[in-house]
Amino acid sequence: MGKKVAGSGPCSRIPDNSAFKQQRLPAWSPSLTAETVLPFFYIIGLVCVLLGVALFLTVQKIQEIQVDYTTSGTCDACFEMRSNKMSASVKCRCSVDFSLKENFQEDVFLYYGLVNFHQNLRRYMDSRDDGQLVGRTTNLKNPSTYCEPFAYNNGTPIAPCGAIANSMFNDSFTLKYLPPTGGVVIVPFYRTGIAWYTDKNVKFRNPQIENELLPQVFQGTAQPFYWQKPVYELDPSDPNNNGFINEDFIVWMREAAFPSFKKLYGILNRQSKAIFEHGLPAGNYSVTISYNFPAQYFQGKKLVVLSTVSWFGGKNIFLPIAYIVTGGVILVVAVVLTVVYIKIGKKGLNMEE
Amino acid sequence: MLAVPDYPLGQHTLGQNSTKFPYCIYLQFHLYHDSSLLFCLFQDNHIKTSKYNIFTFLPINLFEQFQRVANAYFLFLLILQLIPQVSSLSWFTTIVPLALVLTITAVKDATDDYVKDMEGVQIISHCECFWSQGIIAVLVFGLPQADLLLLSSSEPYGLSYVETAELDGETNLKVRQALTVTSELGADIHKLAEFDGEVVCEPPNNKLDRFTGTLLWKDGKFPLDNGKLLLRGCVLRNTEWCFGMVIFAGLETKLMQNCGRTTFKRTSIDRLMNTLVLWIFGFLMCMGIILAIGNSVWEKSVGGNFRKLYLPWDEVLSDAFFSGFLTFWSYIIILNTVVPISLYVSVEVIRLGHSYFINWDRRMYQAQRDTPAEARTTTLNEELGQVEYIFSDKTGTLTQNIMVFSKCSINGKIYDSADAPRRLIPKKTPCVDFSFNPLRDRRFRFHDHSLLEAMKLDETAVREFFRLLALCHTVMPEEKMEGELVYQAQSPDEGALVTAARNFGFVFRARTPETITVYELGKAVTYQLLAILDFNNVRKRMSVIVRNPQGRARLYCKGADTILFDRLEPASEELLCTTSEHLNVRFAGEGLRTLALAYRDLDEDFFQGWMQRLREACSLVEKREDLLASLYEEMEREMTLLGATAIEDKLEQGVAETIACLTLASIKIWVLTGDKMETAINIAYSCNMLRDDMNELLEQGKEEDPNCLPSGPDCCVVLSLQAHALEADLEGLLLDTACLCRTVICCRVTPLQKAQVVELVKRRRRAVTLAIGDGANDVSMIKTAHIGVGISGQEGMQAVLASDYSFAQFRHLQRLLLVHGRWSYFRMCNFLCYFFYKNFAFTLVHFWFGFFCGFSAQTVYDQWFITLFNIVYTSLPVLAMGLFDQDVNEKNSIRFPKLYEPGQLNLLFNKRQFFLCSLQGAYTSFTLFFIPYGALYHGVRDDGANVTDQQSFAVTIATSLFVILICFQIGLDTNYWTAINHFYIWGSLAVYFSILFAMHSNGIFGIFPSQFPFIGTARSSLSQPVVWLVILLTTVVCVAPVLVVRFLRADLYPTQTDKVKCVTSGVCEACPNG
């Protein structure tokens, strides 16, 4: 119904005179003028360069060492052994020596790394049952079809089911400090606190059945094919770190985005020994590996990584360099734009037909 | 109104709904052949403009919708997604949007169709009484709804008058006369009921001016021709009632035969979009093939070994080639978001919005007729911004079809009513007060007081002038009440002249075959009418010979000046010079229709002799015409010039300005009219389409000699089309000639030819055409042109019913094209560019990721992000841009018509623009993938835990993409930030983060753990400084180049828009276009 306007009846079909209908809403019409664009470029360029430099300086302070232990040290024997499926259950231990050139300050993190291991394959990533992992008892005995062919072992449901769980990394490490004075000090690591809070407390839960202990709850399920022990015995040292909430398991279950990745294994326990109070001292170290995980099938490598972190993460040189380069390019472009604007730009606008 | 007694109905149960028409009489009757009888009996006469009914709606509509390449393609994708080995995305990512699209479009189509249908019904049912399923019709002062054979009428001799402006654009009244035998039937219902004649005639055809047939009745054979036919679409005038017999009904009527077919109109952008969808599909195939090959190779070299241990497939699937084949389809599914379904919904929504803006525009509302503009089709808006050719009807569109006596030159003196529309009307000059004259026509206006004074001063020339006007014509007076004269003129020009004479005191009051009575300043004077030397196109003049009460015979003659000036007595030489100067200097070029007036005192002997010879000549059978012509020639000589009149064919308001403005916008305007060439030329002059300095080229359409074609841009062409001018071998020539010229006017075109001309331009020039008209004769061209515009608020509604847009006056066209059309085009193009960019940026990330995930068709994003990205997250800001954006405001759009040109040249969205958008999208996706890749590859959280997992990566990329698209790219593309834009943009940002956190929350995971595996990812990753550093860097790297390019383009190669913006914002001093 049209608004009543002088000269038109109430039934007039005249459209409303509202700003919206007449497309006259008050509006802000910005335009790209030199006054706004050029200062913006200078500011952004400067910000990027400064940020890049700051990041660069931070990264410089981070110490990191990577030790490839696939076949190095005494591990080539183990590597050969794991190539052979027949000897899959035979234990194999080996060690690799390395040295730290300087002290690793503050918190030191121990990672294991895998190269060329595709945790990001579609079928692989789908092959899990989050219902089972969050402790639903129905899913425990009836794993999702996504888990195939790792859902049942001769009719017995597998817990945890699926390809990811099945392929869980199962090497373990013992780091030994070899002080110049002689002797061997085992470096203590926290093996918990390495998973995300939400994973540990929400996403992964053990199935709960009243008055039943963990092994009883998992009664009637089979362990994954490649595992050497059931899920409720993953951490013999800490009964609360067993079942689906085992942190090594949780870390593994958070699939890496790229085929080469590292995952957190432990955090240096600085309290237990005075020598490690300020981190790892420089010197010789040896890492002993319980070598279980076969790498030759995927032509991969296995690494041990020791690293400190800063406020924005690990030793990541890409970000600071990228910032500095971007900032630099923007500054150069800003100068060019200024020149263009002063020399030619104004002329261009005045060229009228 | 004819009082028809309540006739017992249902005696002949011809139609089941006969009770709907109580005034109609049904009679048993034979038509020319039996099948046609059946046809007539059951043909619903209602013009069918609707496409569907309840039962056919779903299948037809779905069929139409799936004809769209895109919809069919999405259906195909949906089927793919249901195959488990291939499905890389859940089926809901496709079906939810697809169902949404189909429903919205179907509802819209249904409403459109319903509205059209209802309008059709209204038009039909408001007639008092019309032809129905019966065979004989009664007409009560209105529009015949079928082609009728006139049987009898209220007028003597079975005459009836019709106006055929709707059909052929001619405005003069035409006489139709019934056969004498049938006119005797009169209004006698019983006799009519017994009428059982049979008509044998030609089959239905589209020739409006021809009909041949025979009536067989009472053992007699009576020839029938066009003069006995009342065609559907004509308007009955001066005839109270008439009876007719239906010859053709429904689709067989000549009108409907001329209507052309209703076709589904598509815009060029629509067609381009379909092509682009095909291209993109090809592009998808290429990417799919590349990735599939990659997958095969990867499976062979790396994956096979990896999988042997960790992911044993079924036996079949482990073949590398087959795996590649499946991967191909999986990638087709993932990458399909390059053309999301929501594109089509959004386009529809934007068009609908633009249509509403047209409906709501107060400046396209016409107060007198209470008619707002109406977008009757909602799918063509952006094409309004690309029009290159306008085909306009003349009568009722450019002109009001009102003739006004505006100037005259009497005895060498000019009297000029300043009522000319293109001049400033001097407000101080009031209208001449005719109140002394009780018989005046109150609507008549004249502004020059000196003429009345001259009249009162008893100047002989002035009195003779008006006496001539009152005597020399063929007008019929009608005086229903004392003093209320109504003139029935065969041509409106004559009416205007006689009315002028009437107001100045020479009131033509009565006519018998022998006398004419004129009230000369109150006194009744009766002249004896001795002879009428009637008008024809060769003579271009008419004369009457009258004897005044004093007994003197005098010839009064009016006619074209060129003809008349050769037939004056030598004594008039001086007057002739003055008058012809007036005609050529003062009257010409304003498009006024001029006539010169002269008289001759007749010598009694000469006259008697001449009269004798005339009588003899009339009785001749052979060579009568020639003899009469020479007799007339002999009489119309040695005349004394009185002066000249100028009649203005009143233009619709603002026509000349509108045409000028549209011409500045490089739109070519062709006038197509069924009217005479002279009239058309006059009008063209008065709308400034023709000027004196133009080379006029008259084409009769007969002998077209390519050698005498004119050249140079400053010529105009007036085409009088004959049927064969549009034949295949000539049409090229015709078009080339016409396009060389600045102005093209086609006269004497039938409705179907109008359509053919439009079709010709459409086909050969590949230009966007717009046809505008008001009558039934324009329906065919309105339907043929890309865009059809109907003038509404007048009698006939057929043009409006067939049109895509309708408004009350021609001048609204300017606003429709330059403001709404331009905005629509600009918005749509901007929208499409952004949309394609957005989806390329969004989708191609998967392509890059393919190289890192063993080409396994793993998605980068969360499935929910993919589902919601186009329908929830990013739809509203871009919709707001598509609906409300304005690069230049309405005032400047009209002030600088040049701004319209990019649309005609198709500059804002074409294949090149699309390519650039896609390239920009690809660039964005590249940085979007590789910067986070580089930065996070070795990244860890500040507490040492991992941040390189797939889920964190997904959130990082999704958020960067979102920030780039929503905060920056749309910001750069939006020129006009209304509150709604702000609301949608910041609202989308808020919605994105709230949905993100909600979907990653503990609660929803607790309910559906398998559907929402991203629990906690948003919290964990977005709390990390490194993630935000990555987002910032990605944004800067993506946006900075765009900013540089835009700045440089605006700076170095400013478009018209940039210039106008710059000038209006006051930054620049330059003035575009002078």
Side-chain angles (χ1 to χ4, degrees), chain A residues 39-328:
Chain A
F40 177 76
F41 268 102
Y42 283 110
I43 291 169
I44 286 292
L46 268 179
V47 167
C48 284
V49 169
L50 292 179
L51 209 53
V53 170
L55 292 178
F56 191 76
L57 294 177
T58 316
V59 167
Q60 290 303 314
K61 287 189 199 142
I62 299 174
Q63 282 103 11
E64 187 186 76
I65 184 166
Q66 297 197 355
V67 180
D68 180 346
Y69 71 91
T70 323
T71 52
S72 53
T74 57
C75 288
D76 40 357
C78 291
F79 179 78
E80 288 308 317
M81 189 187 278
R82 292 292 165 247
S83 308
N84 185 356
K85 271 192 182 170
M86 302 305 291
S87 54
S89 53
V90 182
K91 289 209 161 78
C92 182
R93 294 174 76 86
C94 60
S95 63
V96 179
D97 296 338
F98 63 94
S99 63
L100 300 182
K101 298 273 175 335
E102 48 193 4
N103 292 339
F104 275 34
Q105 299 289 342
E106 305 290 317
D107 282 336
V108 178
F109 298 84
L110 176 64
Y111 299 90
Y112 63 90
L114 287 176
V115 173
N116 210 15
F117 188 94
H118 287 75
Q119 266 204 317
N120 56 5
L121 293 183
R122 175 164 59 90
R123 282 287 300 257
Y124 180 86
M125 288 185 75
D126 285 345
S127 187
R128 61 190 284 161
D129 185 350
D130 283 313
Q132 190 187 49
L133 297 177
V134 80
R136 299 204 163 168
T137 41
T138 44
N139 294 52
L140 183 68
K141 301 284 165 65
N142 299 295
S144 152
T145 51
Y146 282 107
C147 286
E148 293 289 354
F150 301 103
Y152 292 94
N153 185 358
N154 287 329
T156 320
I158 296 176
C161 74
I164 312 177
N166 188 59
S167 61
M168 182 178 160
F169 185 78
N170 53 2
D171 286 1
S172 54
F173 308 102
T174 314
L175 187 63
K176 291 170 189 153
Y177 175 48
L178 311 171
T181 50
V184 171
V185 183
I186 291 183
V187 182
F189 278 99
Y190 292 118
R191 299 281 283 113
T192 54
I194 56 176
W196 290 9
Y197 173 84
T198 46
D199 284 354
K200 173 90 180 170
N201 295 290
V202 184
K203 194 172 181 182
F204 291 86
R205 302 273 75 198
N206 277 327
Q208 301 282 338
I209 298 174
E210 251 180 278
N211 303 324
E212 286 193 14
L213 294 170
L214 212 49
Q216 291 169 302
V217 173
F218 280 99
Q219 200 89 56
T221 62
Q223 71 195 49
F225 296 118
Y226 296 170
W227 287 22
Q228 284 146 2
K229 43 194 171 185
V231 68
Y232 47 86
E233 286 171 10
L234 282 175
D235 189 349
S237 59
D238 182 355
N240 289 328
N241 194 22
N242 271 317
F244 295 147
I245 55 169
N246 175 276
E247 295 204 15
D248 281 336
F249 176 67
I250 293 174
V251 167
W252 179 255
M253 292 303 281
R254 184 155 281 286
E255 309 96 332
F258 303 106
S260 299
F261 56 86
K262 62 182 186 197
K263 284 176 185 282
L264 189 54
Y265 183 79
I267 304 168
L268 178 63
N269 182 348
R270 281 154 61 195
Q271 268 80 49
S272 68
K273 285 175 186 161
I275 186 174
F276 300 124
E277 199 182 337
H278 300 292
L280 289 180
N284 289 330
Y285 289 83
S286 162
V287 60
T288 307
I289 301 122
S290 165
Y291 201 109
N292 298 315
F293 197 76
Q296 60 278 18
Y297 292 106
F298 54 92
Q299 290 129 33
K301 283 186 208 157
K302 302 195 286 185
L303 312 170
V304 171
V305 181
L306 281 172
S307 172
T308 59
V309 299
S310 68
W311 58 274
F312 81 97
K315 191 154 183 96
N316 179 2
I317 204 71
F318 175 86
L319 207 53
I321 298 288
Y323 262 107
I324 292 172
V325 170
T326 309

Side-chain angles (χ1 to χ4, degrees), chain B residues 161 193 268 341 480 599 656 725 757 965 1056:
Chain B
Y161 300 91
S268 53
I341 314 168
K480 286 186 180 159
Y599 71 94
V757 172
L965 288 179
Q1056 288 287 342

Side-chain angles (χ1 to χ4, degrees), chain B residues 627-644:
Chain B
L627 204 58
L628 280 179
S630 67
L631 275 173
Y632 288 173
E633 192 77 13
E634 193 182 321
M635 176 55 77
E636 290 160 334
R637 277 188 297 129
E638 294 172 14
M639 295 183 287
T640 313
L641 186 64
L642 275 172

Side-chain angles (χ1 to χ4, degrees), chain B residues 136 187 201 284 552 594-595 655 769 779 787 804 848 970:
Chain B
I136 282 225
C201 68
L284 272 190
R552 285 189 51 201
T594 56
L595 286 175
V655 165
T769 54
V779 169
I787 300 161
D804 306 309
W848 310 122
I970 195 99

Side-chain angles (χ1 to χ4, degrees), chain A residues 5 11-17 20-34 37-38 40-41 44 48 51 55 66 85 109 111 116-127 129-131 134 136 149-150 163 166-167 194 196 198-199 202-203 226 251 254-264 267 293-294 297-299 309-316 318-319 322-323 326 330 333 337 340-341 344-346 348-353, chain B residues 85-88 298 301-302 305-306 308-313 317 330 357 359-363 365 370-372 820 823 827 849 852-854 856-858 883-884 886 890 929-931 933-938 940-946 948-953 972 974-980 982 1002 1005-1007 1009-1010 1013 1015-1017 1019-1020 1025-1026 1029-1030 1032-1033 1036-1037 1040 1043-1044 1046-1048 1051-1052 1054 1056 1059 1062 1068 1070-1073:
Chain A
V5 177
C11 292
S12 165
R13 291 161 68 202
I14 187 166
D16 278 349
N17 192 12
F20 175 74
K21 289 188 174 183
Q22 301 307 318
Q23 305 195 61
R24 281 198 216 107
L25 287 175
W28 171 57
S29 308
S31 54
L32 295 180
T33 59
V37 173
L38 293 180
F40 177 76
F41 268 102
I44 286 292
C48 284
L51 209 53
L55 292 178
Q66 297 197 355
K85 271 192 182 170
F109 298 84
Y111 299 90
N116 210 15
F117 188 94
H118 287 75
Q119 266 204 317
N120 56 5
L121 293 183
R122 175 164 59 90
R123 282 287 300 257
Y124 180 86
M125 288 185 75
D126 285 345
S127 187
D129 185 350
D130 283 313
V134 80
R136 299 204 163 168
F150 301 103
N166 188 59
S167 61
I194 56 176
W196 290 9
T198 46
D199 284 354
V202 184
K203 194 172 181 182
Y226 296 170
V251 167
R254 184 155 281 286
E255 309 96 332
F258 303 106
S260 299
F261 56 86
K262 62 182 186 197
K263 284 176 185 282
L264 189 54
I267 304 168
F293 197 76
Y297 292 106
F298 54 92
Q299 290 129 33
V309 299
S310 68
W311 58 274
F312 81 97
K315 191 154 183 96
N316 179 2
F318 175 86
L319 207 53
Y323 262 107
T326 309
I330 288 180
V333 167
L337 285 186
V340 167
Y341 174 69
I344 321 166
K346 281 178 180 166
L349 259 181
N350 285 335
M351 281 194 302
E352 297 299 339
E353 303 147 36
Chain B
Q85 278 79 13
V86 172
S87 173
S88 43
W298 186 85
S301 58
V302 189
N305 303 323
F306 174 73
K308 224 178 278 165
L309 189 60
Y310 297 112
L311 201 61
W313 300 112
L317 298 178
S330 303
F357 282 129
N359 295 348
W360 286 334
D361 195 336
R362 277 167 79 92
R363 296 190 181 187
Y365 167 82
D370 190 25
T371 317
H820 289 286
W823 277 348
R827 289 165 180 171
F849 189 52
F852 293 87
C853 68
S856 63
Q858 172 60 39
L883 284 172
F884 305 116
Q886 300 179 7
E890 49 180 346
F929 180 80
F930 284 99
I931 288 180
Y933 169 72
L936 295 183
Y937 189 61
H938 286 298
V940 289
R941 285 157 54 110
D942 50 7
D943 61 0
N946 290 90
T948 36
D949 63 292
Q950 205 271 340
Q951 294 187 339
S952 303
F953 188 66
L972 280 177
T974 305
N975 292 287
Y976 192 75
W977 289 74
T978 63
I980 302 169
H982 282 289
N1002 306 353
F1005 175 79
I1007 306 167
S1010 303
I1015 155 81
T1017 314
R1019 268 173 283 171
S1020 299
V1026 62
L1029 284 174
V1030 169
L1032 176 66
L1033 183 66
V1036 169
V1037 173
L1043 211 57
V1044 171
R1046 298 224 173 161
F1047 175 73
L1048 281 181
D1051 202 34
L1052 297 180
Q1056 288 287 342
K1059 291 177 190 172
C1062 189
C1068 315
C1071 175
N1073 301 326

Side-chain angles (χ1 to χ4, degrees), chain B residues 869-884:
Chain B
F869 177 75
N870 272 309
I871 31 178
V872 178
Y873 293 153
T874 57
S875 61
L876 289 181
V878 66
L879 264 188
M881 182 183 81
L883 284 172
F884 305 116

